[in-house]
Amino acid sequence: VCESMEEKRPKREKVVVVPRSAADEQRFKIERMMAEPERPVVIPEPRKPRAPRPPPEFNFDVMGSSAGAGSGEFHIYRGIRRREQNRLKWIDTQAAQDEKDEDFRHRLENKKREDDEKTAKKRAKRQSQPVNRLVTTESTQQLPTQCLKEHTLYMYMHVLGSLSLSLSL
């Protein structure tokens, strides 16, 4: 039974292709992705920065790096100090990032408001201008046909005139 199943199944030979450059690697990835266009592409969300642990509320073992502390106490003190410094640095970077985001949002709002004002001003100017009409009679539907006939006649005369000038030279 196993032999008959193996015979029926087509054997696929895997071709190992080694990319020679970053462009080759990207091309292979795109080719593999485009081989199955119905398959959904998963785009992962960017990682959120990990917040440090909050500091302990009470630290009863208060010690420093000065005399009187044991040899092992100094390493504990350094660890606590390092974690606190990292937490303060993270708070500062978050505050700076929030400030930049707020500044960007304000600039975006100002730019949008200025663009809307310009658009409204130009719209008002456009709407206040009088619309020039060539003919205000009831025969406005015949005007495009008349203009087209006159334009065509003018073009024929222009072409014939240039031909007669070139023939006379």
Side-chain angles (χ1 to χ4, degrees):
V1 175
C2 292
E3 293 175 13
S4 63
M5 290 293 282
E6 289 178 9
E7 292 174 7
K8 291 180 182 177
R9 217 182 280 169
K11 292 184 180 181
R12 286 189 257 165
E13 294 182 20
K14 290 189 177 183
V15 179
V16 178
V17 181
V18 178
R20 295 182 183 176
S21 66
D24 283 346
E25 186 175 350
Q26 190 174 21
R27 184 171 52 87
F28 292 143
K29 286 181 181 179
I30 291 174
E31 286 174 357
R32 185 176 48 195
M33 184 175 65
M34 295 307 285
E36 302 175 38
E38 291 83 26
R39 184 176 170 199
V41 177
V42 179
I43 300 173
E45 292 292 322
R47 275 196 212 178
K48 294 179 181 176
R50 196 180 75 150
R53 292 184 304 188
E57 293 200 17
F58 296 105
N59 190 3
F60 295 111
D61 297 329
V62 178
M63 88 263 332
S65 61
S66 61
S71 61
E73 306 295 325
F74 175 70
H75 300 293
I76 295 170
Y77 164 75
R78 265 198 338 192
I80 293 170
R81 186 172 179 273
R82 178 179 47 82
R83 282 190 291 275
E84 182 63 17
Q85 293 297 325
N86 288 344
R87 189 181 72 84
L88 292 175
K89 182 180 176 184
W90 184 81
I91 289 172
D92 290 343
T93 56
Q94 284 300 109
Q97 186 67 34
D98 291 345
E99 186 179 326
K100 285 180 183 178
D101 289 345
E102 188 69 21
D103 183 41
F104 176 74
R105 190 180 59 78
H106 281 301
R107 284 189 296 153
L108 198 63
E109 288 174 359
N110 289 341
K111 184 67 175 167
K112 186 175 182 341
R113 184 176 38 79
E114 289 173 5
D115 289 346
D116 290 344
E117 288 173 0
K118 282 183 183 178
T119 304
K121 184 177 176 182
K122 288 182 180 181
R123 183 183 305 119
K125 186 175 180 182
R126 214 177 23 250
Q127 290 173 350
S128 68
Q129 290 176 346
V131 179
N132 295 331
R133 301 277 181 199
L134 294 176
V135 176
T136 57
T137 62
E138 299 170 1
S139 63
T140 55
Q141 293 176 353
Q142 297 175 1
L143 182 63
T145 311
Q146 281 181 324
C147 289
L148 183 63
K149 288 179 182 175
E150 290 174 5
H151 179 71
T152 308
L153 182 63
Y154 173 75
M155 289 304 291
Y156 281 137
M157 290 173 57
H158 182 70
V159 169
L160 290 175
S162 64
L163 282 176
S164 64
L165 286 175
S166 65
L167 291 174
S168 64
L169 291 174

